[in-house]
Amino acid sequence: MAPIHVHPRILVQLKKTDGTAGDASPAGKGQGMIAEILSTGEEIRCGHVVDSNAAHIAGKLDRFGVQVTRHTSVGDGLEEIAGAIKEMGKRADMAVVTGGLGPTADDRTAEAAAAAAGVPCREDAEALAAVERFFTSRKRPMAPSNRKQASLPRGASPLTNPVGTAPGFRLKIGRCLFFFLPGVPREMKRMLDDGVLPAVSAIPGPNRNTASTRTIVTFGLTESDTGEQLAGFADRFPDLTLGLQVRFPEILVKIYGRSNHSEKLEKRMSEAGNWIGRRLGCRVVCPDGGTMFQAVGRLLGRRGETLALAESCTGGLMAHGLTQVPGSSDYFLFSGVVYANAAKTAVLGVPETVLAGQGAVHEATALAMADGARRVAGADWALSTTGIAGPGGGSREKPVGTVCIGLAGPEKTMVFRYHFPFEDREMNKRVFAFTALDKLRRHLLDNPVA
Amino acid sequence: MAPIHVHPRILVQLKKTDGTAGDASPAGKGQGMIAEILSTGEEIRCGHVVDSNAAHIAGKLDRFGVQVTRHTSVGDGLEEIAGAIKEMGKRADMAVVTGGLGPTADDRTAEAAAAAAGVPCREDAEALAAVERFFTSRKRPMAPSNRKQASLPRGASPLTNPVGTAPGFRLKIGRCLFFFLPGVPREMKRMLDDGVLPAVSAIPGPNRNTASTRTIVTFGLTESDTGEQLAGFADRFPDLTLGLQVRFPEILVKIYGRSNHSEKLEKRMSEAGNWIGRRLGCRVVCPDGGTMFQAVGRLLGRRGETLALAESCTGGLMAHGLTQVPGSSDYFLFSGVVYANAAKTAVLGVPETVLAGQGAVHEATALAMADGARRVAGADWALSTTGIAGPGGGSREKPVGTVCIGLAGPEKTMVFRYHFPFEDREMNKRVFAFTALDKLRRHLLDNPVA
């Protein structure tokens, strides 16, 4: 990583907060300040719990223009924690540490921080008063073990915890200002908002960078094809970063920007978004991070039109996705999840002769299903899916991954057949559902209301 | 961290795998081998994505008796990744790195590994053949950018990726054997199982402990009530650890064990599982980690009976969940996702007088919906849901969180009304769906077939 310059006022502010002098040699990439996160706890270390605290903290700091460059997780061991803190004290300007502030014997973060700072722990009067207040206000007796929570490294300033017993604290170690917070997500989030972010946002300076992210949701190209369509981005927007992420079967195109001039940054982000929009055309489902379900819902809502579904192989996934969106009852009327052939006939009027002659997975069946759903529900549009999601049920003619899709509208009914190369049931259900919804989305875009 | 002894055979094996000599000074806590995990990617670094890969890998390795001591996440930058790899090469015996193996310009992990190892990258014939095979088997043209994925550090051995284009690789750097895997969870999981764990499990040694985990899925009690029901576990099973985890609205009860005698351990795990089963009774949905959807499916399958659904407020979630289970077409016939009142009448025969008189969210409607679904589909059983998932649509009499559930069977139809205290649409959809399915599950358990 290339060394960079941090505006002196930030360092001054960082020094002021705990009154000690810091080493004035931060490193980064032109950001205002660089930060790290440390999560402690056996449950994270051994994989029983996913570390969602780190993502929450990184996201919040990023929006304040503070770039988190590294997350680390270690277990409950004193030496592991102290070792990680020492390393971070050499690399970062600020750090947030979570976990290990509870009352039990395996909570050793304060001790580890003291070891890393080379200072002893001592009972902090302010912290003890806060713990006692917590129990008094809840009319509960304070266990002797809770007294341990008021023992802080010398030089630390306590941070109030309004929703739990563990007071946090802040302490400069090496050149880095550390904020120590509990690991319980609810307490951590509250103290991050109340104690950490105000301290960070109070830091002024013209070099203070704003961070901005834009997520463009696309469907219809593979990740590598999307990347190739966007070749040339780096030359055209050297000040921005492009990232691709798979949210199967959607591909998210992300633009990351950072600047000390937020208006200019937003202008650049918009230019980049438009450039990507021109490159990907109708593959752009949502320019603002939404889902295919939201995109289809918005289009229908704007047109004042309604939708019905007939789902065989997608098994209710389309209906479930559409009804996750608040307000979907304005345009979504009905889905007939017709797994059994008898239900295809009884509910949607698919002729038995078609099912017997052509089979359930066939264009003729998809067509009759879409027509039936549209008619039964009195909808403007209807989509149908019938196919083989697997893992069983495939044949040479109709292998796993085959799907027939029907799209019925006011003027005509169209049918399509696809084969996808997936063996996995869930992947097939998803790719079938998104392909069907995308058919409707693009048809609506191609046929605007007069 | 106290220095420990690693059985020499493990080191021999680690050396053998890539033919190079390693530094023979691993550290740990009495485990056979110590491991680290590195996750790369801007989306993790800046908090847009929670790093669930690390938890998955740590959990899997733990069950093989390999303790992960540290997880690290960094962004996409070449120097950040190379720096983290170099540090890990000094600390760990083995490491798993995920992300950055894709075809696009922001995928730089192979380059970073080469930089950390001090070797150049070159095109690997075996890796190139694997990428080409992937495209050939799917009858798709290979993009030029995919060729980049076959460029590996000198000395690396490719790891097959049966489900994607990014070949992984393994390479010794410092004293540590690194396994580099893609970041896409599905590909990473498959390659971890196929490529990494067999290499790890092949390593013998008397110090090697077996780890075992059992997950008992429960429904119907809060997390804290479940904990209270299980008070006394620690006294009775001091050699095992109990953990609770919320997979809303299910509560997972987890038993963790570790021993150098795998038969004894399995016996203890079974005793503990039975003890928990006696304490929680019919709240146990699956004693083996399965879902409510699987539990209901197994019961119906064993009885040779069929199910139909009528979903209003659950919007297809019950059908989607049931049809995620392979083989569900044996017992699942139909769901009428009747969001609009007209569909309730047209498809399920709910009398317009009931909808006009009592309203859509009412016991009378739930009853008519369940009866209608059972009749239309010719099913043995039917469940119906009608309620208010929110965030809008609530009233004083029927606030958000209200649901009416119907259960129709061969002998009678029952209806129930509940109110849940959630404001969130997704939480309500889930708790409504699970409550309805649990009604059927418990009814089937109480009424065994003769």
Side-chain angles (χ1 to χ4, degrees):
Chain A
M1 202 193 293
I4 59 120
H5 176 68
V6 167
H7 194 267
R9 263 195 279 172
I10 295 173
L11 289 173
V12 169
Q13 183 69 22
L14 280 171
K15 279 176 205 157
K16 264 191 188 161
T17 51
D18 68 347
T20 65
D23 170 347
S25 61
K29 261 191 183 168
Q31 305 81 8
M33 190 182 344
I34 59 165
E36 293 201 20
I37 297 169
L38 173 64
S39 312
T40 70
E42 287 302 292
E43 70 288 357
I44 293 172
R45 186 197 59 66
C46 74
H48 290 155
V49 166
V50 171
D51 182 14
S52 55
N53 280 354
H56 179 85
I57 296 166
K60 283 265 183 172
L61 288 176
D62 205 63
R63 265 165 273 156
F64 273 84
V66 176
Q67 188 175 20
V68 172
T69 52
R70 187 190 282 231
H71 315 181
T72 306
S73 309
V74 296
D76 282 342
L78 182 66
E79 293 175 46
E80 281 117 312
I81 302 175
I85 290 174
K86 255 193 162 164
E87 293 168 26
M88 290 162 69
K90 290 177 197 157
R91 282 189 305 248
D93 299 305
M94 70 157 286
V96 180
V97 182
T98 60
L101 301 184
T104 56
D106 57 352
D107 292 305
R108 304 187 72 180
T109 298
E111 221 179 316
V119 299
C121 270
R122 48 151 194 67
E123 191 169 273
D124 184 278
E126 190 186 329
L128 183 62
V131 176
E132 286 172 341
R133 260 199 314 278
F134 180 87
F135 284 96
T136 310
S137 72
R138 277 158 183 77
K139 299 191 176 62
R140 278 165 46 196
M142 186 175 122
S145 60
N146 289 107
R147 194 172 183 108
K148 159 181 173 293
Q149 299 184 283
S151 177
L152 304 185
R154 195 179 66 202
S157 325
L159 292 168
T160 313
N161 179 349
V163 288
T165 63
F169 60 93
R170 68 187 202 183
L171 177 64
K172 184 96 172 235
I173 301 173
R175 62 167 247 238
C176 178
L177 176 62
F178 283 83
F179 294 87
F180 293 87
L181 307 181
V184 180
R186 202 173 64 101
E187 300 180 21
M188 178 283 290
K189 287 177 185 173
R190 179 70 184 269
M191 292 172 75
L192 185 72
D193 288 349
D194 289 3
V196 180
L197 296 181
V200 171
S201 70
I203 303 170
N207 274 354
R208 186 73 191 298
N209 283 338
T210 306
S212 183
T213 307
R214 191 160 302 200
T215 301
I216 298 165
V217 178
T218 74
F219 176 78
L221 292 177
T222 62
E223 186 185 8
S224 50
D225 288 343
T226 309
E228 278 177 35
Q229 291 291 322
L230 301 180
F233 181 93
D235 291 338
R236 189 151 184 135
F237 300 97
D239 49 331
L240 303 177
T241 305
L242 189 74
L244 298 183
Q245 191 190 325
V246 179
R247 185 173 74 187
F248 184 84
E250 296 168 323
I251 305 290
L252 312 191
V253 178
K254 295 194 163 189
I255 317 169
Y256 304 100
R258 189 171 287 280
S259 162
N260 54 15
H261 193 307
S262 68
E263 262 173 60
K264 254 190 215 159
L265 177 61
E266 283 317 305
K267 191 162 162 279
R268 284 295 279 169
M269 297 290 285
S270 292
E271 285 168 9
N274 293 339
W275 186 86
I276 290 169
R278 284 194 300 276
R279 290 289 175 118
L280 299 178
C282 57
R283 273 75 170 242
V284 172
V285 173
C286 270
D288 60 354
T291 66
M292 175 71 80
F293 303 111
Q294 287 170 313
V296 168
R298 279 180 210 163
L299 275 173
L300 290 168
R302 238 178 274 146
R303 299 164 71 107
E305 294 176 337
T306 56
L307 175 65
L309 305 172
E311 303 187 66
S312 185
C313 53
T314 52
L317 169 56
M318 288 198 286
H320 172 49
L322 288 169
T323 62
Q324 289 291 87
V325 181
S328 43
S329 55
D330 290 348
Y331 46 82
F332 175 67
L333 301 183
F334 167 65
S335 176
V337 184
V338 286
Y339 236 49
N341 277 352
K344 292 183 180 73
T345 301
V347 177
L348 303 175
V350 179
E352 283 178 19
T353 50
V354 168
L355 292 169
Q358 276 91 9
V361 180
H362 193 278
E363 285 87 345
T365 306
L367 192 138
M369 286 170 65
D371 281 342
R374 184 167 177 272
R375 189 187 61 245
V376 166
D380 296 303
W381 303 95
L383 282 171
S384 68
T385 57
T386 179
I388 298 153
S395 67
R396 224 186 106 183
E397 278 158 51
K398 296 175 184 174
V400 168
T402 302
V403 66
C404 293
I405 291 170
L407 167 54
E411 290 177 6
K412 58 181 172 182
T413 303
M414 293 169 282
V415 282
F416 312 89
R417 178 190 285 244
Y418 294 95
H419 177 250
F420 294 97
F422 310 115
E423 298 292 323
D424 182 84
R425 185 178 183 82
E426 185 165 0
M427 289 179 83
N428 276 326
K429 278 180 71 176
R430 285 184 66 84
V431 79
F432 295 169
F434 279 72
T435 302
L437 289 165
D438 201 50
K439 280 283 164 209
L440 174 62
R441 185 184 71 85
R442 291 176 64 166
H443 186 77
L444 293 179
L445 289 175
D446 290 344
N447 295 277
V449 264
Chain B
M1 198 196 296
I4 59 120
H5 175 70
V6 167
H7 194 268
R9 262 195 283 171
I10 295 172
L11 288 174
V12 169
Q13 182 70 23
L14 279 173
K15 280 177 206 158
K16 264 190 188 163
T17 51
D18 68 346
T20 64
D23 171 348
S25 61
K29 261 190 183 168
Q31 306 82 6
M33 188 180 349
I34 59 164
E36 294 200 20
I37 296 170
L38 174 64
S39 312
T40 70
E42 288 301 295
E43 69 287 359
I44 294 172
R45 187 198 58 66
C46 72
H48 290 157
V49 165
V50 170
D51 183 14
S52 56
N53 280 354
H56 179 86
I57 295 165
K60 283 268 181 167
L61 287 175
D62 204 64
R63 266 164 271 155
F64 274 85
V66 176
Q67 189 175 19
V68 172
T69 53
R70 186 191 282 230
H71 314 182
T72 306
S73 309
V74 295
D76 280 343
L78 183 66
E79 292 174 46
E80 281 115 314
I81 302 174
I85 290 173
K86 255 193 162 163
E87 294 168 26
M88 292 162 69
K90 291 177 196 156
R91 283 189 306 247
D93 298 306
M94 70 157 284
V96 180
V97 182
T98 61
L101 301 184
T104 54
D106 58 349
D107 293 305
R108 304 187 70 180
T109 298
E111 220 179 317
V119 299
C121 269
R122 47 151 194 67
E123 190 168 274
D124 183 278
E126 191 185 327
L128 182 63
V131 176
E132 287 172 340
R133 260 198 313 279
F134 180 87
F135 284 95
T136 309
S137 73
R138 277 156 180 79
K139 299 190 177 61
R140 276 168 42 198
M142 186 177 122
S145 60
N146 290 106
R147 195 171 183 110
K148 157 179 174 289
Q149 299 184 283
S151 177
L152 304 184
R154 195 180 66 203
S157 324
L159 291 169
T160 312
N161 179 350
V163 288
T165 63
F169 60 93
R170 68 187 203 183
L171 177 64
K172 186 96 172 237
I173 300 172
R175 59 168 249 236
C176 178
L177 178 60
F178 284 83
F179 294 88
F180 293 87
L181 306 181
V184 180
R186 201 177 66 101
E187 300 180 22
M188 178 281 291
K189 287 177 184 172
R190 179 73 184 269
M191 292 172 75
L192 185 74
D193 288 351
D194 289 4
V196 180
L197 297 180
V200 172
S201 70
I203 303 169
N207 276 352
R208 189 77 187 291
N209 277 344
T210 304
S212 183
T213 308
R214 192 160 302 200
T215 301
I216 298 165
V217 178
T218 75
F219 177 79
L221 292 177
T222 63
E223 186 182 9
S224 51
D225 288 345
T226 308
E228 277 174 37
Q229 291 291 322
L230 302 180
F233 182 92
D235 292 338
R236 191 153 183 135
F237 300 97
D239 49 330
L240 303 177
T241 304
L242 189 73
L244 297 185
Q245 193 189 323
V246 179
R247 185 174 72 189
F248 185 83
E250 296 168 323
I251 305 291
L252 312 190
V253 179
K254 296 196 162 188
I255 318 169
Y256 306 103
R258 187 176 286 279
S259 161
N260 55 14
H261 195 306
S262 68
E263 263 173 61
K264 255 189 215 161
L265 177 61
E266 284 316 305
K267 192 160 163 281
R268 285 295 280 169
M269 298 289 284
S270 293
E271 286 168 10
N274 293 339
W275 185 86
I276 291 169
R278 285 194 300 276
R279 290 289 175 116
L280 298 179
C282 59
R283 272 75 168 243
V284 173
V285 172
C286 269
D288 60 354
T291 65
M292 175 71 80
F293 303 110
Q294 288 170 312
V296 168
R298 281 180 209 162
L299 275 171
L300 290 168
R302 239 178 272 147
R303 298 164 72 108
E305 293 176 338
T306 55
L307 175 63
L309 305 172
E311 304 188 65
S312 184
C313 54
T314 53
L317 170 56
M318 289 199 285
H320 172 50
L322 288 168
T323 61
Q324 289 291 85
V325 182
S328 43
S329 55
D330 289 349
Y331 46 82
F332 175 68
L333 302 184
F334 167 66
S335 177
V337 184
V338 285
Y339 236 49
N341 277 353
K344 292 183 180 73
T345 302
V347 178
L348 303 173
V350 179
E352 282 178 20
T353 50
V354 168
L355 291 169
Q358 277 91 10
V361 180
H362 193 278
E363 285 87 346
T365 305
L367 192 138
M369 285 170 64
D371 281 345
R374 184 168 177 271
R375 188 187 62 245
V376 165
D380 295 304
W381 302 95
L383 282 171
S384 68
T385 57
T386 179
I388 297 151
S395 66
R396 224 185 106 182
E397 278 159 50
K398 296 174 184 175
V400 168
T402 303
V403 66
C404 294
I405 292 171
L407 166 55
E411 291 177 4
K412 59 182 170 182
T413 302
M414 294 170 282
V415 283
F416 312 89
R417 179 191 284 244
Y418 295 95
H419 177 251
F420 295 96
F422 309 114
E423 298 292 323
D424 182 84
R425 185 178 184 82
E426 184 163 3
M427 287 177 85
N428 276 326
K429 279 181 72 176
R430 286 184 66 85
V431 78
F432 295 168
F434 279 71
T435 303
L437 290 164
D438 201 51
K439 281 283 161 208
L440 174 62
R441 184 184 71 85
R442 291 176 65 165
H443 186 78
L444 294 179
L445 290 174
D446 290 345
N447 296 278
V449 264

